[in-house]
């Protein structure tokens, strides 16, 4: 298990990839896309058994949403509300290089879920309000998939606000608000919202981590697992880059 600061990850992985280890690494895989592509070159050379800890995929709320959506074949409108606070990051003594690339360190939590909620391939990322490094207040992007699914990403910087994700379909709306909780609203009962019970694993442990461990144990038992590998993590890094226009 590798959980080191963002700026140390490249040097640690450069050594670790040389050994016949099963590696589970903390995200992001690279403090920005350029750094991730440097790691990709070493990864491609050694081809290690390498998984990435994108643990929000394993929240019981997210898993229940995916399970419900699997039965729903209509188009999806995915709305992601993201908030970042670089002033707070400075108080926690993060380095300037990490803060300048804060969308990779922190927005990855929400942007990664766009990749698993949207079906098919991304065909267009339109930046309606572009990221301004000197004065980052609001970022807004529309992401289109070849299946017809659309994701709308809204990022608020240095202002209070919750993380939330919603998926609207013709029959139901699914809300993660906060991400750890799932609410479902049926089109026929617009004023009612049903809260889906959390898994005991997400109550007794930090949400997502217990299920992630289960997926890792499946690998060691030679069973099919859903742990994201390096290429999936790199896909998210590339989407962050397209939204924020930062390499």
């Amino acid at each position: 298990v590798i959980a080191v600061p963002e700026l140390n990850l490249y040097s640690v992985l450069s050594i670790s990839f040389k050994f016949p280890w099963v590696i589970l690494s903390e995200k992001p895989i690279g403090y920005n896309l350029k750094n991730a592509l440097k790691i990709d070159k070493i990864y491609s050379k050694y081809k290690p058994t390498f998984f990435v800890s994108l643990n929000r995929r394993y929240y019981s709320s997210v898993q229940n949403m995916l399970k419900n959506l699997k039965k729903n074949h209509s188009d999806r409108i995915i709305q992601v509300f993201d908030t970042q606070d670089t002033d707070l990051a400075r108080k926690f003594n993060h380095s300037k290089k990490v803060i300048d690339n804060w969308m990779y360190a922190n927005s990855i939590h929400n942007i990664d879920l766009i990749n698993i909620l949207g079906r098919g391939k991304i065909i267009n990322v339109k930046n309606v309000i572009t990221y301004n490094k000197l004065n980052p207040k609001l970022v807004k992007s529309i992401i289109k998939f070849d299946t017809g699914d659309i994701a709308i990403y809204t990022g608020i910087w240095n202002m209070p606000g919750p993380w939330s994700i919603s998926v609207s379909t013709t029959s139901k709306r699914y809300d993660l608000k906060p991400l750890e909780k799932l609410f479902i609203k049926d089109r026929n009962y617009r004023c009612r919202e049903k809260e889906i019970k959390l898994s005991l694993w997400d109550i007794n442990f930090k949400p997502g981590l217990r299920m992630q461990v289960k997926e890792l144990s499946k690998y060691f038992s030679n069973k099919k697992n859903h742990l994201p590998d390096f290429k999936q993590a790199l896909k998210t890094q590339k989407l962050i880059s397209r939204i924020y226009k930062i390499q």
Side-chain angles (χ1 to χ4, degrees), residues 6 21 168 191:
E6 293 89 345
W21 295 340
S168 297
C191 297

Side-chain angles (χ1 to χ4, degrees), residues 81-193:
F81 193 91
D82 195 18
T83 63
Q84 303 301 336
D85 193 337
T86 50
D87 295 333
L88 186 62
R90 289 185 189 91
K91 288 181 182 177
F92 283 109
N93 296 316
H94 286 283
S95 72
K96 183 179 184 303
K97 190 177 283 188
V98 171
I99 291 172
D100 286 346
N101 295 277
W102 196 240
M103 62 290 297
Y104 289 95
N106 222 32
S107 292
I108 189 171
H109 300 298
N110 283 333
I111 293 176
D112 180 63
L113 294 180
I114 293 174
N115 274 326
I116 64 169
L117 290 169
R119 295 164 296 182
K121 292 182 180 180
I122 292 172
I123 55 173
N124 190 5
V125 177
K126 181 180 179 181
N127 296 298
V128 182
I129 301 175
T130 56
Y131 173 70
N132 181 348
K133 182 180 178 180
L134 299 177
N135 189 20
K137 287 184 179 179
L138 175 63
V139 177
K140 198 168 192 71
S141 295
I142 299 173
I143 300 112
K144 292 185 178 180
F145 293 80
D146 61 4
T147 56
D149 291 349
I150 296 172
I152 302 165
Y153 172 85
T154 303
I156 300 288
W157 285 70
N158 300 322
M159 299 180 189
W163 279 0
S164 65
I165 294 177
S166 69
V167 179
S168 297
T169 68
T170 54
S171 59
K172 292 182 180 180
R173 176 184 170 94
Y174 307 84
D175 283 294
L176 300 171
K177 52 175 190 180
L179 300 187
E180 293 84 354
K181 293 186 177 182
L182 172 62
F183 298 86
I184 299 178
K185 184 180 287 186
D186 193 290
R187 185 178 181 181
N188 296 319
Y189 304 98
R190 296 191 179 196
C191 297
R192 296 185 203 168
E193 238 178 12

Side-chain angles (χ1 to χ4, degrees), residues 25-124:
S25 176
E26 182 58 280
K27 61 201 167 299
I29 300 303
Y31 65 85
N32 60 17
L33 182 58
K34 280 185 179 177
N35 191 235
L37 292 173
K38 280 179 66 179
I39 294 171
D40 187 29
K41 287 182 180 178
I42 313 168
Y43 173 83
S44 299
K45 179 180 178 181
Y46 292 103
K47 294 181 172 58
T49 303
F50 183 65
F51 303 112
V52 183
S53 179
L54 295 164
N55 63 291
R56 279 166 180 77
R57 293 186 179 199
Y58 301 106
Y59 283 2
S60 59
S61 56
V62 174
Q63 289 295 311
N64 282 325
M65 177 189 269
L66 290 170
K67 196 180 295 182
N68 274 271
L69 282 168
K70 199 171 183 179
K71 307 166 191 173
N72 192 326
H73 303 294
S74 69
D75 289 347
R76 300 176 186 176
I77 298 175
I78 305 154
Q79 297 182 75
V80 176
F81 193 91
D82 195 18
T83 63
Q84 303 301 336
D85 193 337
T86 50
D87 295 333
L88 186 62
R90 289 185 189 91
K91 288 181 182 177
F92 283 109
N93 296 316
H94 286 283
S95 72
K96 183 179 184 303
K97 190 177 283 188
V98 171
I99 291 172
D100 286 346
N101 295 277
W102 196 240
M103 62 290 297
Y104 289 95
N106 222 32
S107 292
I108 189 171
H109 300 298
N110 283 333
I111 293 176
D112 180 63
L113 294 180
I114 293 174
N115 274 326
I116 64 169
L117 290 169
R119 295 164 296 182
K121 292 182 180 180
I122 292 172
I123 55 173
N124 190 5

